[in-house]
Amino acid sequence: MFIAVDGFNKTGIPSTLWDAVEKYSRIDSIGGIALLSVIILVLSNAALNVPTVLLLGSRVAASAALISASEEARAWLILAWVSTVAGNLSLLGSVANMMSVSRLKGLSFMVIISPFGTT
């Protein structure tokens, strides 16, 4: 996943998209927070929440740091909270959700080998 995210970053697409929305998604306004939250929500369900944080984290933090150091900390909290909640809004938002559903349906999603046995 980390290699794929890094490769995607090197295409320049995430930077181009962020440059287009950065001025509208600043966290010093309610509208900016709402837009940033929608972006995080969509990406977290389309690409899972961990890659979303990897793609947006440094850009959101750098944008907020231009406002103030406390806004940078707030930006990380918003990114963490929204991506976590968004990852649980749908089955596709989290691998854990998909594993849980497959377990309920009696399907085998993956086998995990641990020191305590196989699950």
Side-chain angles (χ1 to χ4, degrees):
M1 171 175 42
F2 296 104
I3 294 169
V5 169
D6 185 51
F8 185 56
N9 260 333
K10 288 180 180 177
T11 66
I13 294 170
S15 294
T16 302
L17 293 174
W18 179 250
D19 291 343
V21 299
E22 179 181 17
K23 61 184 172 185
Y24 305 109
S25 60
R26 294 175 50 102
I27 65 164
D28 57 351
S29 71
I30 296 295
I33 293 171
L35 177 61
L36 181 61
S37 297
V38 168
I39 291 168
I40 295 167
L41 182 125
V42 169
L43 285 175
S44 290
N45 281 284
L48 300 178
N49 51 2
V50 173
T52 297
V53 172
L54 291 172
L55 288 170
L56 290 180
S58 61
R59 290 172 178 88
V60 170
S63 179
L66 295 174
I67 301 166
S68 72
S70 63
E71 291 297 311
E72 181 180 5
R74 184 174 165 203
W76 279 111
L77 290 172
I78 291 169
L79 180 60
W81 186 81
V82 175
S83 65
T84 300
V85 171
N88 290 307
L89 287 178
S90 73
L91 291 177
L92 299 178
S94 167
V95 173
N97 291 349
M98 291 186 277
M99 289 171 53
S100 297
V101 169
S102 67
R103 195 88 149 129
L104 288 173
K105 293 181 85 176
L107 303 172
S108 176
F109 187 75
M110 75 170 51
V111 175
I112 300 171
I113 300 172
S114 73
F116 308 107
T118 304
T119 57

